[in-house]
């Protein structure tokens, strides 16, 4: 039996989950893999508080160097979260030849190049399955069993908090603020929800998925980002009447000479596999030239699901004689600043002659064709709701038209992309 010595940077929710999984299932994992995991040190802020886990006192340390500089420790698991000091400490561990396992999408996506370069230099491994989609083995799937594919499309529900909020808004006809407050009360959304609801979390994750899926470096800033805070219950219910379900998606497309990477709310046809992924579940839908389409679905957060992915990475790091490193083409593919989508455009307008002419006239001038239209009776102030669904159109053209519409005639309340 081979023993592998670990150091844990952090023993909070995820670190504690990993500790528990090794303690409870380590023997069985050892029987299956021939690898016994031993946690030598776990970094904590205060040795008296360590998440209530039964961790022997001698395992606890408040000095990171007890982990980063100990030659006996072979694998460092990083559970600090945030960009720094996580990124520098991972870099140091790699510099010292230790493999690193992390769930930290922020530090990883922002410092991917340095971390990969250091791992390559010292021959250490860098594993990050838990950074996207929690327990779902999406990173491994892209890098190993699906490696002989040209992946053309990645579409993911990679943020459980926003999926939970949108699912409840759809089920209850409730407004965003109400559901958010309830989710916060239930501990399902953070007290400061910005990273989730404004799409930053999904942006980091798409930077990672896009980089490994398209073999071209996708920087975080390359990813267009829009959150769910402007969505209201009318968008969701009118969308549903027209056969669509609203999701926050991370979308990556490889168009050959350029890529598209964007995070924003999307209407999906109700029969799309991602449309039925509800609650806090995550799912990633892929299209590759050889396997065609595929969807992986599961739990994207939580101590135990995340620990499942992390222990899987630890075992791989221990088993691999040569650590895999994603191939990146030398010259990154340019990121398209315009793309084709269909659009759901919701507006209010007085119910009188000339409104449709104003809208469709401006659309026609910019090459935008309407595929479906719905009008709802005027509300007490005399304004009707109009919904247009366009055929495929350029993002820039749609934004131009929305700006050009005469606000005296119609007021655009929301524009949501429609994908299929
Ligand atoms: N905050 C994330 C989510 C989980 O809501 O899915 C961690 O990536």
């Amino acid at each position: 039996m081979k023993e592998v010595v670990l150091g844990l940077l952090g023993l909070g929710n995820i670190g504690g989950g990993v500790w528990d999984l090794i303690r409870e299932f380590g023997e069985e994992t050892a029987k299956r893999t021939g690898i016994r995991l031993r946690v030598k040190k776990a970094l904590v802020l205060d040795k008296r508080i360590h998440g209530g886990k039964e961790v022997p006192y001698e395992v606890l340390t408040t000095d990171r160097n007890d982990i980063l500089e100990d030659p006996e420790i072979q694998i460092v698991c990083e559970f600090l979260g945030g960009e720094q000091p996580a990124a520098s400490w991972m870099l140091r561990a790699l510099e010292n030849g230790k493999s690193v396992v992390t769930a930290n999408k922020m530090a990883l996506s922002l410092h991917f190049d340095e971390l990969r370069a250091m791992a390559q230099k010292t021959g250490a491994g860098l594993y990050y399955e838990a950074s996207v989609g929690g327990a779902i083995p999406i990173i491994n799937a892209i890098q190993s069993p699906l490696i002989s594919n040209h992946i053309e499309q990645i579409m993911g529900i990679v943020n459980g908090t926003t999926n939970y909020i949108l699912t409840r808004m759809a089920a209850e006809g409730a407004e965003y603020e109400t559901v958010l407050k309830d989710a916060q009360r239930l501990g399902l959304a953070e007290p400061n929800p910005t990273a989730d609801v404004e799409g930053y979390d999904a942006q980091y994750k798409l930077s990672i998925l896009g980089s490994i899926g398209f073999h071209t470096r996708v920087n975080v800033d390359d990813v267009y980002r829009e959150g769910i805070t402007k969505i209201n219950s009318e968008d969701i219910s009118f969308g549903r009447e027209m056969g669509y379900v609203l999701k926050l998606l991370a979308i990556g497309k490889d168009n050959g000479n350029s890529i598209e990477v964007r995070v924003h709310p999307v209407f999906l046809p109700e029969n799309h596999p991602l449309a039925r992924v509800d609650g806090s579940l995550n799912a990633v839908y892929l299209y590759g030239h050889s396997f065609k389409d595929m969807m992986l679905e599961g739990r994207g957060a939580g101590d135990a699901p995340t620990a499942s992915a992390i222990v899987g990475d630890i075992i791989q790091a221990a088993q691999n004689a040569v650590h895999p490193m994603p191939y990146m083409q030398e010259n990154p593919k340019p990121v398209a600043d315009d793309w084709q989508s269909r659009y759901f455009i919701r507006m209010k307008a007085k119910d009188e002659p000339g409104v449709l002419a104003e809208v469709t006239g401006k659309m026609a001038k910019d090459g935008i064709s309407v595929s479906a239209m719905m009008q709802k009776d005027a509300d007490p102030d005399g304004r009707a709701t109009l919904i247009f669904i366009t055929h495929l159109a350029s993002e820039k053209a749609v934004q131009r038209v929305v700006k050009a519409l005469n606000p005296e005639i119609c007021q655009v309340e929301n524009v949501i992309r429609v994908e299929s």
Side-chain angles (χ1 to χ4, degrees):
M1 184 80 66
K2 174 173 161 186
E3 184 187 70
V4 170
V5 184
L6 312 175
L8 311 185
L9 291 174
L11 202 56
N13 287 344
I14 300 180
V18 169
W19 174 269
D20 285 346
L21 187 55
I22 293 175
R23 193 189 51 189
E24 288 158 16
F25 214 68
E27 268 315 299
E28 185 60 30
T29 308
K31 274 191 229 157
R32 296 176 186 186
T33 61
I35 292 166
R36 175 163 288 118
L37 303 177
R38 173 162 74 89
V39 178
K40 184 173 179 190
K41 287 286 173 196
L43 182 73
V44 292
L45 277 175
D46 181 337
K47 288 196 199 181
R48 291 164 301 179
I49 309 162
H50 45 86
K53 306 288 169 195
E54 291 159 22
V55 185
Y57 198 75
E58 66 274 13
V59 169
L60 301 173
T61 177
T62 53
D63 182 356
R64 67 178 187 276
N65 292 328
D66 286 347
I67 292 172
L68 299 178
E69 309 300 333
D70 180 344
E72 201 196 1
I73 290 179
Q74 296 150 285
I75 300 176
V76 171
C77 305
E78 183 274 316
F79 307 126
L80 302 165
E83 184 182 357
Q84 292 295 2
S88 322
W89 294 2
M90 286 195 274
L91 205 62
R92 180 64 182 160
L94 293 168
E95 191 177 9
N96 283 339
K98 302 177 193 309
S99 289
V100 165
V101 174
T102 183
N104 187 334
K105 65 253 157 182
M106 184 197 254
L108 187 70
S109 56
L110 293 171
H111 297 270
F112 201 45
D113 294 334
E114 295 154 73
L115 292 167
R116 277 188 324 120
M118 185 58 84
Q120 249 155 350
K121 185 173 157 197
T122 64
L126 178 61
Y127 295 82
Y128 41 89
E129 183 60 73
S131 65
V132 182
I136 305 172
I138 184 67
I139 305 280
N140 210 34
I142 291 175
Q143 301 210 97
S144 190
L146 306 180
I147 195 68
S148 65
N149 279 269
H150 167 51
I151 293 188
E152 295 167 24
Q153 195 180 8
I154 299 170
M155 282 194 357
I157 296 174
V158 292
N159 183 269
T161 306
T162 46
N163 205 38
Y164 173 84
I165 293 173
L166 293 176
T167 302
R168 279 201 47 194
M169 285 175 73
E172 298 163 24
E175 289 302 341
Y176 165 77
E177 287 296 343
T178 315
V179 178
L180 172 65
K181 282 203 183 96
D182 206 37
Q184 286 172 316
R185 193 179 53 76
L186 295 168
L188 293 165
E190 300 280 342
N192 178 353
T194 307
D196 292 317
V197 299
E198 294 293 4
Y200 292 99
D201 177 77
Q203 189 185 29
Y204 296 133
K205 291 169 177 169
L206 184 56
S207 150
I208 298 167
L209 281 184
S211 296
I212 63 161
F214 302 144
H215 303 283
T216 181
R217 181 71 178 105
V218 177
N219 292 304
V220 174
D221 290 343
D222 293 334
V223 178
Y224 173 85
R225 177 192 54 78
E226 212 180 282
I228 63 164
T229 53
K230 292 193 202 101
I231 299 297
N232 72 20
S233 60
E234 286 200 326
D235 294 317
I236 295 181
S237 62
F238 291 145
R240 177 186 284 166
E241 272 187 58
M242 299 177 97
Y244 296 104
V245 174
L246 191 78
K247 296 290 178 193
L248 180 75
L249 293 191
I251 299 177
K253 293 185 184 177
D254 186 343
N255 300 326
N257 294 328
S258 66
I259 56 164
E260 284 170 38
V261 271
R262 42 193 170 97
V263 168
H264 51 69
V266 170
F267 273 124
L268 286 170
E270 58 200 0
N271 62 356
H272 192 285
L274 285 167
R276 57 161 184 76
V277 176
D278 282 337
S280 60
L281 285 175
N282 280 199
V284 183
Y285 173 90
L286 301 169
Y287 189 92
H289 85 281
S290 182
F291 67 80
K292 305 303 176 194
D293 50 1
M294 169 183 300
M295 189 173 89
L296 289 98
E297 177 180 355
R299 292 185 198 286
D303 314 352
T306 308
S308 159
I310 286 168
V311 175
D313 270 358
I314 295 171
I315 296 294
Q316 283 201 43
Q319 279 172 334
N320 286 333
V322 177
H323 299 290
M325 199 47 72
Y327 161 73
M328 296 280 160
Q329 53 189 56
E330 215 164 287
N331 299 317
K333 276 192 187 175
V335 178
D337 66 347
D338 193 13
W339 61 79
Q340 296 279 312
S341 181
R342 296 175 67 214
Y343 291 80
F344 164 105
I345 304 171
R346 177 171 64 82
M347 61 181 74
K348 293 268 186 188
K350 282 206 182 122
D351 194 2
E352 54 192 35
V355 174
L356 285 184
E358 161 73 5
V359 180
T360 54
K362 295 240 161 87
M363 283 184 177
K365 266 194 200 148
D366 231 323
I368 301 169
S369 169
V370 174
S371 141
M373 196 240 148
M374 184 167 82
Q375 177 165 346
K376 291 285 171 188
D377 287 344
D379 55 21
D381 67 3
R383 293 188 315 155
T385 294
L386 298 177
I387 316 276
F388 294 87
I389 306 261
T390 72
H391 283 293
L392 273 183
S394 129
E395 169 79 18
K396 283 195 168 162
V398 169
Q399 299 302 345
R400 262 195 309 270
V401 167
V402 167
K403 262 201 191 144
L405 288 174
N406 183 348
E408 304 279 313
I409 298 180
C410 55
Q411 302 82 44
V412 174
E413 299 210 320
N414 215 345
V415 176
I416 298 175
R417 291 130 192 127
V418 179
E419 298 279 336
S420 49

